[in-house]
Amino acid sequence: VTDTYGNPAGTEGGPGTMMEPYDTIAHAYAYCTANKGDVIICKPGHAETLTATTAMSTAGVTIVGLGNGDNRPVITVNAAINGLTICAANQKIHNVKMVTGASYGITSKLFAVTGGYGKMTFSKCHFQVAAATKMYHLGYILGAKGVPVNFEDCVFENLSTLTMAGNATLQKNALLIRTGDVNIIGCRFIDMGAQKKNKWAACVKCGSTGTGEDLGNIMFKDTVFTCRGVAITSRAAAVSP
């Protein structure tokens, strides 16, 4: 098992050790080998801002954030991009916070699982729409049946405080699940948008109006929704509970 470390005080070309870590997750990820049990460890207080997509295209990699609460690693997505694109199987992200930045586009996402890749797990992660920012979806899943994407003990939070004029486009959904199997276990969806325009139309939207999509099994277990609920493609999000 290879452990590589990330810290904002690190360097791009260093050895990636605890004492001489890489400066970004992307730099550490570039040294990982598929299906060898590689682990990227992010030190407490690690913070980085993404203005270009980080493609997680190496199977079997785990990213682990150290620290608790506000001291855990924070990734800010600050452009009209998908912050992390998961495009290889059997990966895991644990104890990392991802937030929207001021330049986050309304069609951006903090993360996207694409290409039918599954067996991806997010555990104890925090996905947040920060105040004075807007978004379309926090996460997007284009998976496949039989290879589930798992969310375990994660928090999805909407703190947008934009005015009506500054947020003409509704905050859409925390998660858009287009295809595949998804398990949501022990998670919390918290919608604290200051006005109706700031709130999610639904926490989770399953399916869409597109064609050729194969929505699989969606499981919710021990999950709390402090907002407007779940919508499916055949039902208008505006009237979801």
Side-chain angles (χ1 to χ4, degrees):
V1 176
T2 299
D3 295 336
T4 56
Y5 294 84
N7 186 277
T11 62
E12 178 177 351
T17 62
M18 189 71 170
M19 298 304 297
E20 298 182 73
Y22 299 117
D23 55 348
T24 67
I25 291 172
H27 293 151
Y29 196 90
Y31 289 90
C32 293
T33 302
N35 298 315
K36 295 297 183 181
D38 286 356
V39 179
I40 297 171
I41 298 175
C42 297
K43 290 184 176 182
H46 174 80
E48 61 180 273
T49 298
L50 299 181
T51 56
T53 297
T54 294
M56 295 180 60
S57 57
T58 303
V61 174
T62 297
I63 298 173
V64 175
L66 302 182
N68 300 302
D70 292 338
N71 194 38
R72 64 180 147 176
V74 177
I75 300 172
T76 300
V77 178
N78 200 34
I81 59 171
N82 296 331
L84 300 178
T85 296
I86 293 88
C87 45
N90 303 313
Q91 300 193 77
K92 182 174 183 177
I93 300 176
H94 175 76
N95 197 41
V96 171
K97 183 175 182 179
M98 298 189 71
V99 302
T100 60
S103 297
Y104 191 90
I106 60 173
T107 57
S108 303
K109 301 151 191 84
L110 295 181
F111 65 88
V113 180
T114 64
Y117 291 103
K119 296 184 180 178
M120 171 70 196
T121 298
F122 298 88
S123 65
K124 293 188 179 297
C125 291
H126 190 161
F127 308 104
Q128 184 184 86
V129 183
T133 66
K134 54 188 176 181
M135 45 71 72
Y136 193 75
H137 305 291
L138 285 179
Y140 171 86
I141 298 172
L142 190 66
K145 287 185 176 180
V147 282
V149 177
N150 304 302
F151 296 90
E152 302 170 354
D153 196 17
C154 293
V155 175
F156 297 82
E157 186 176 29
N158 178 13
L159 297 179
S160 177
T161 57
L162 291 179
T163 63
M164 289 278 202
N167 192 15
T169 301
L170 285 170
Q171 313 289 79
K172 296 298 185 182
N173 318 106
L175 275 177
L176 173 60
I177 303 170
R178 294 284 296 274
T179 59
D181 296 349
V182 179
N183 299 318
I184 299 173
I185 303 170
C187 295
R188 288 179 291 158
F189 291 80
I190 305 169
D191 193 352
M192 303 300 290
Q195 323 176 38
K196 184 176 180 180
K197 278 274 189 181
N198 302 117
K199 296 182 182 299
W200 286 322
C203 300
V204 181
K205 182 177 179 181
C206 302
S208 77
T209 56
T211 60
E213 296 179 349
D214 194 9
L215 188 63
N217 297 313
I218 312 299
M219 182 183 75
F220 296 92
K221 181 180 179 181
D222 300 328
T223 293
V224 177
F225 299 91
T226 311
C227 40
R228 297 178 68 188
V230 180
I232 60 175
T233 184
S234 60
R235 184 179 182 189
V239 299
S240 63

